[in-house]
Structures are given as C-alpha cells and as structure tokens.
Amino acid sequence: MEITLARYAGFCPGVRRAMRMAEEVLGDPQRPAFSLGPIIHNPQAVEELERRGLRILPEDPEEWEAAGLAGSRVIIRSHGIPPHLAQRLVDMGAETVDATCPTVKKAQKAAMRLVGEGYHLFIVGNREHPEVQAILGHVNRDAVVIKETRELKEWWEGQTRMIRKIGIIAQTTVDLLTFRSLVEGLINEVPEMIREVSEMKLINTLCRNTLARQAEALQLALSHDLVVVVGGRNSSNTEFLRRICETAGARTVKVETAGELDTSLLEGVSRVAVVGGASTPRERLEEVRLLLASG
Ligand code: SF4
C-alpha cells in the first residue's frame, strides 16, 4: 500500500507562534500561567501543556474570579478574544500575552474598517467559533454571521432598514468552496437585496496556509482511495479538510489519534493519504502513517 503524508503537515505558523509563547510563559515558574480556553484545538497538545502547569480559564468571565488572576499571565489564543474580555483580564490584575495570529488580527481590522466605513458586515463562518466571536467583539457585534445561503434569505426577510453598502469577510479557516458559494449566494439567491445594494466590498481574510492545506488535501483526495484526516474534534479547519476530501469523492475518515483508526477500512485500498489540521502536531500524522504501514 502506498502512503502519502501531506506536505502541509504539522502546526500552521499561527499555532506554532502561540505554542512558542506558551513555552515562554511556562518558563517563568514564579507567575501562574493561564490560557483563555484551550490554546489550540487539539486536546492532546493542550493536555501536555496542562501537565506542565498551564491552567485553562473557563470561557465564562463570571467564573474567572475564583481562578485568582492577580499577578498571573494569561495567553490570548491564536483565535483572539473580544477587546472587552482582554480589558477585563487586565482589570483583574493579569498580564495578557497576545498570541492572536497575525492573520486573524487582519480579519479583525478588516471587520472594524468595513463597519467604520458604514458597510453592513457579513462574516462567512461559524458563529460559535472563538475567532468569529472575537471578530464580533471588535465591531460591537454589528455583523451578520452566515454559514449557509438559507441564513442569508432568513436575514433578508427580517430586514426593515435600507441596505446600501455590504462588506464581506470570512473566518480565516473557512474553505474556499463555502466562501465562494456564500458570496455567490448573496448575489444569486437574494436578488431583492442586490437590487437595493449600491456597493459591495469584499476583503480577503482567508488564511494562506489554510488555503494551501485545503488545495493539497483536494489534490490528495482526487488521487488516493482513502484519506485519513487527523485533528481535534473541535477543530473547524480539520472539519473543513474532511468536507473537502469527502466532496472530492474520496473515502474519508477523521481521527484525533492513530488509536482511533479502524484498520479494517484499509481492505482493498492501494493508495492512502494522511492530512492534518492546522493545530495537529506532525507527530500525530506520523503515528497514523506508521500504523498504516504496519497494517
Ligand atoms: S490557520 Fe492560519 S489564521 Fe489560523 S492560526 Fe494558523 S496561520 Fe493563523
């Protein structure tokens, strides 16, 4: 059996940077170290940091008091956080260490610029994702988050005010197919809205590393019988990779670790590709490759 490990394997630059900052913070044993929520969407990597002393603050700020933040350092994860939460941490005596990925920062700035210039902002992405929540926090939640064309129609039907200017950005890790279909959806599926709008401005906030990972996953899916996607269950970019491979017609399985892989799936398979999300350590992919090679 031929096994191909994706070239884009291992942490993306933003996650690498966040992990490096976590190492630095953990290097000062005199000060308690926290991260706000899991620093990356990979449970095994987070557990390792916790073993070394990193404590995870709950997402709900009402629960922060009990953690004792005075004098501590709190890492802001690569997805960023809303400014009012960063301020609240400072007010509680913590020093924030900002590991927000520069690409995510660009998306936050793009959102602020569009809203500041009077555009009605659409964010293509998942409303519950921490990155989207952080972007919303930068624009006082003055934006509509869309994941499906259906939501566009529903939003339009509930509109009472005139919309002249529309701004569009995306969650950085959204896949190109979803982004394209929603931008097209704005024009094709809600023609009444387009009749009213005089200006549409799109700022490309998609992450280049993610796009490259997705393009490679698509190529591998087209040329292999089976694709194993490795990544955290809570990682949306890993889920986007799975969807791309499945849409390309490849048999696709998603696992968090090699131990979850059902090797009976390999029956009759001659070419298998292993790809991983942006927060999946390269070793996890290597472990899957070794398991495949031994089976
Ligand atoms: S996937 Fe892209 S945007 Fe997200 S942390 Fe990594 S480099 Fe930054």
Side-chain angles (χ1 to χ4, degrees), residues 10-22 39-41 75-80 98-105 131 172-173 207-210 213 237 278-280:
F11 291 152
C12 67
V15 168
R16 261 204 308 277
R17 180 172 171 271
M19 293 297 275
R20 205 172 51 238
M21 291 169 100
I39 187 164
I40 60 171
H41 280 160
I75 305 164
I76 308 298
R77 59 192 163 198
S78 54
H79 300 130
D98 191 0
T100 309
C101 173
T103 306
V104 173
K105 278 224 153 112
E131 178 190 319
T172 56
T173 48
C207 162
R208 285 182 209 285
N209 184 278
T210 300
R213 229 172 253 262
N237 76 81
S279 50
T280 310

Side-chain angles (χ1 to χ4, degrees), residues 147-208:
K147 198 163 69 170
E148 294 171 31
T149 314
R150 175 185 55 80
E151 292 168 322
L152 276 174
K153 288 186 180 162
E154 285 169 6
W155 171 82
W156 173 256
E157 280 158 18
Q159 270 316 292
T160 47
R161 57 183 170 148
M162 190 77 98
I163 307 287
R164 288 289 185 219
K165 291 166 80 177
I166 285 182
I168 308 168
I169 63 163
Q171 179 184 338
T172 56
T173 48
V174 159
D175 68 285
L176 204 49
L177 293 177
T178 302
F179 187 55
R180 201 175 62 190
S181 85
L182 280 163
V183 173
E184 279 171 7
L186 262 175
I187 298 165
N188 299 329
E189 304 284 336
V190 200
E192 317 86 280
M193 179 160 82
I194 289 305
R195 276 198 290 277
E196 196 173 295
V197 169
S198 56
E199 200 183 331
M200 238 170 140
K201 187 165 174 178
L202 183 152
I203 299 183
N204 183 4
T205 53
L206 294 174
C207 162
R208 285 182 209 285

Side-chain angles (χ1 to χ4, degrees), residues 203-271:
I203 299 183
N204 183 4
T205 53
L206 294 174
C207 162
R208 285 182 209 285
N209 184 278
T210 300
L211 289 175
R213 229 172 253 262
Q214 291 171 350
E216 186 187 23
L218 177 64
Q219 287 305 319
L220 291 171
L222 292 171
S223 54
H224 289 72
D225 311 320
L226 174 74
V227 183
V228 182
V229 182
V230 189
R233 268 182 274 284
N234 54 352
S235 156
S236 69
N237 76 81
T238 305
E239 176 56 19
F240 285 133
L241 287 180
R242 187 197 64 75
R243 280 207 332 229
I244 288 169
C245 296
E246 212 165 67
T247 309
R251 193 135 64 97
T252 307
V253 280
K254 189 170 91 167
V255 294
E256 235 176 47
T257 62
E260 291 176 8
L261 188 63
D262 174 5
T263 45
S264 70
L265 289 169
L266 302 174
E267 263 170 53
V269 168
S270 58
R271 301 190 79 202

